[in-house]
Amino acid sequence: MTECSSKLIDLVVKAQMPILFVLIFVPFGVFFLSYQMQSIALLGIIVILLGVSCWHYKTKIYPKTIEFMNRHSNTQPPKFHHAIIIAHKKIEISWTDYICGIDILIERFSTNDPPVPFRIYDVASKEDVLNCIFDPDTQYLWIFGHGQRNKLKISGKKLCYADIRDAPKKLFVGQYHCNSPIGTSLADMTNASESDVTKFLRFTPEIRNAVSRQLNRMEIGK
């Protein structure tokens, strides 16, 4: 059974859920048994914060991202450039596909002095993603979507990174989707000089912070 087999990929996904349960709900359960009233208050605060966050992302970040994308959709960068890849998990595109830091990238790239060459790849097929990966001009890959360390889910299908052979070397690969403790990442397959690939799940607030941190490390738009 190879790491690209559906059985292994599904097994890794299922294995992460009990681990997540233990890390989050067990400590909260212990806290609840000891401090019931405080736990109820804390749970209420968490629910409120989640609601406010969803409202903010949907009404503020999403429209801002779409505005930025429309403004720069016809940008034709010079030969070498940063590729912002937005891979959609399902055929039905959701507003949640656009809230994990795409706006941060576009704003920092376009306002940097001098502007950083970039292009937006809003894709819905494995072929589109592969074309971008194999393009020697896409030296930096910023991938947004859903997946694991070794795969990207797009339009209901799986693109296993370990199946990608002879891809050109990249200067940077950022997998801004859920990852996993094991598996061959796209950064591995492209022999990237620098990468941002985690060992576990990634959530929207952390991903947005990670994008900003990576840009700061690259000294872009500081």
Side-chain angles (χ1 to χ4, degrees):
M1 184 166 57
T2 68
E3 68 173 287
C4 289
S5 67
S6 296
K7 289 184 178 180
L8 182 58
I9 288 176
D10 293 340
L11 180 63
V12 172
V13 172
K14 292 177 181 178
Q16 290 185 81
M17 298 313 296
I19 295 175
L20 185 65
F21 179 84
V22 170
L23 292 177
I24 296 179
F25 292 102
V26 170
F28 183 81
V30 173
F31 183 79
F32 179 79
L33 292 175
S34 302
Y35 307 96
Q36 292 187 13
M37 294 304 297
Q38 293 91 331
S39 298
I40 294 174
L42 177 61
L43 183 60
I45 293 172
I46 292 174
V47 171
I48 292 173
L49 289 175
L50 287 174
V52 171
S53 296
C54 288
W55 174 85
H56 175 71
Y57 289 135
K58 187 173 184 178
T59 62
K60 302 296 183 181
I61 301 301
Y62 170 60
K64 179 182 178 182
T65 301
I66 296 301
E67 178 189 349
F68 282 178
M69 288 177 59
N70 289 337
R71 190 185 307 170
H72 297 279
S73 61
N74 294 323
T75 300
Q76 294 297 325
K79 187 173 182 181
F80 299 120
H81 62 276
H82 291 252
I84 303 174
I85 303 174
I86 309 165
H88 300 288
K89 179 180 179 180
K90 299 179 180 179
I91 296 176
E92 300 82 11
I93 295 175
S94 170
W95 63 270
T96 58
D97 295 342
Y98 297 96
I99 61 174
C100 288
I102 300 159
D103 58 309
I104 298 173
L105 284 179
I106 296 175
E107 187 168 24
R108 295 277 284 269
F109 287 159
S110 60
T111 60
N112 191 71
D113 185 19
V116 176
F118 71 95
R119 185 176 179 183
I120 303 165
Y121 296 83
D122 198 5
V123 298
S125 73
K126 292 171 59 175
E127 291 72 21
D128 289 337
V129 178
L130 289 172
N131 287 339
C132 188
I133 293 172
F134 278 92
D135 185 346
D137 293 342
T138 57
Q139 296 287 289
Y140 302 81
L141 302 180
W142 304 75
I143 304 174
F144 296 88
H146 302 267
Q148 295 174 26
R149 183 178 181 85
N150 64 340
K151 67 101 175 177
L152 179 69
K153 192 166 185 180
I154 181 164
S155 296
K157 299 180 181 179
K158 299 181 181 70
L159 170 60
C160 185
Y161 295 138
D163 280 340
I164 298 174
R165 303 294 177 184
D166 302 320
K169 176 180 172 61
K170 303 299 179 183
L171 295 179
F172 169 76
V173 172
Q175 294 180 196
Y176 296 104
H177 52 68
C178 284
N179 290 286
S180 50
I182 61 174
T184 306
S185 70
L186 181 60
D188 297 326
M189 298 307 297
T190 58
N191 193 28
S193 302
E194 188 176 359
S195 64
D196 186 358
V197 183
T198 62
K199 292 287 188 179
F200 210 62
L201 305 176
R202 307 191 85 163
F203 300 98
T204 298
E206 190 279 326
I207 292 177
R208 292 182 63 85
N209 287 332
V211 169
S212 294
R213 289 195 302 268
Q214 185 61 43
L215 288 169
N216 290 339
R217 282 194 287 269
M218 294 177 171
E219 298 185 345
I220 295 176
K222 295 183 68 174

